[in-house]
Amino acid sequence: ARGAGAGRYDAIAGNASFAAAARAEASFRAADILRTRDRAEQADARYSAATELGADAPEGREFAARGLLERAHIKRRAKDAVAALSLYGEVREKFADQRRSAAHAMTWTGKLLMAAGEREKAGQLLMGFAEAFPEYPVEAIRNADLLALEQLEAGDPTEARTTVERIQRAMEGVLAEGGKTADAVREALSGMRFTDQLAGD
């Protein structure tokens, strides 16, 4: 049934009588189906097609960006960090207007750099997230928490505390505004793993 579903989406994606945006989404949906069946190469090709089809169509750029982001995820899961970093960079460069995808790309770039031991570069990205994407404060807190934990494990608790203090200051405006976002930020700050780690020590 999944294979048949992917085939139907493929038929739309390959039909020039449909608008480019619709074809981009169809290719993306087909890729999602194939990805769940562990057919990474076929999924990658369709995500690529989604990007090509949607990049120049205003209504198709969401799925163009998401397709490129998913290609980066495929490379990351395959342990090809170089290719993944390149694709995450393309998302941020070519689809800066697609804020959600660009934000995810920035976070994953930071995580990959951290895993590669490039803590300084990773820290610049992870701590720069709050300013670059103020509409996603909870993700900014999680990024800072990741960095602080890494700094703590590297034997620099002072630097780690500074990181946490910086993100706390960055969230003061959000907290002052109140509402659901402030509640989510407050919960994220109180749930930072760095704080738990310190308590455990």
Side-chain angles (χ1 to χ4, degrees):
R2 286 184 176 274
R8 293 189 181 96
Y9 281 124
D10 281 338
I12 295 172
N15 189 334
S17 66
F18 287 98
R23 296 172 67 195
E25 180 176 357
S27 189
F28 181 89
R29 301 300 183 191
D32 268 357
I33 291 172
L34 293 171
R35 185 191 66 185
T36 61
R37 300 182 66 187
D38 297 322
R39 295 163 70 175
E41 289 186 11
Q42 293 181 39
D44 183 82
R46 284 159 177 80
Y47 283 132
S48 180
T51 299
E52 292 176 10
L53 288 165
D56 296 326
E59 298 83 1
R61 285 183 62 79
E62 175 189 353
F63 286 100
R66 289 175 63 184
L68 190 56
L69 181 68
E70 289 300 333
R71 291 187 64 211
H73 290 334
I74 287 173
K75 297 299 183 184
R76 173 176 53 81
R77 295 184 189 109
K79 310 300 182 184
D80 189 346
V82 173
L85 285 170
S86 177
L87 290 170
Y88 286 133
E90 285 188 44
V91 174
R92 296 173 60 204
E93 178 184 349
K94 297 179 179 179
F95 296 99
D97 60 309
Q98 299 302 308
R99 302 285 289 175
R100 182 69 271 179
S101 291
H104 281 320
M106 187 172 187
T107 288
W108 277 109
T109 298
K111 288 181 177 180
L112 281 179
L113 289 173
M114 186 76 74
E118 298 189 46
R119 199 174 75 187
E120 184 174 347
K121 290 182 180 179
Q124 291 174 354
L125 283 172
L126 295 173
M127 288 308 295
F129 185 94
E131 182 177 353
F133 297 98
E135 65 268 46
Y136 304 122
V138 171
E139 190 169 344
I141 294 167
R142 290 172 180 161
N143 287 348
D145 193 24
L146 176 67
L147 177 60
L149 284 171
E150 180 69 20
Q151 291 165 336
L152 186 64
E153 291 175 5
D156 197 342
T158 300
E159 188 178 8
R161 287 189 178 91
T162 298
T163 293
V164 172
E165 289 168 0
R166 282 180 59 192
I167 197 64
Q168 288 171 338
R169 287 195 301 270
M171 294 298 120
E172 287 175 356
V174 179
L175 292 171
E177 291 179 3
K180 292 183 179 179
T181 300
D183 291 341
V185 164
R186 191 174 293 106
E187 182 178 352
L189 287 171
S190 65
M192 291 181 77
R193 292 174 296 162
F194 170 78
T195 305
D196 292 339
Q197 187 71 37
L198 282 183
D201 292 343

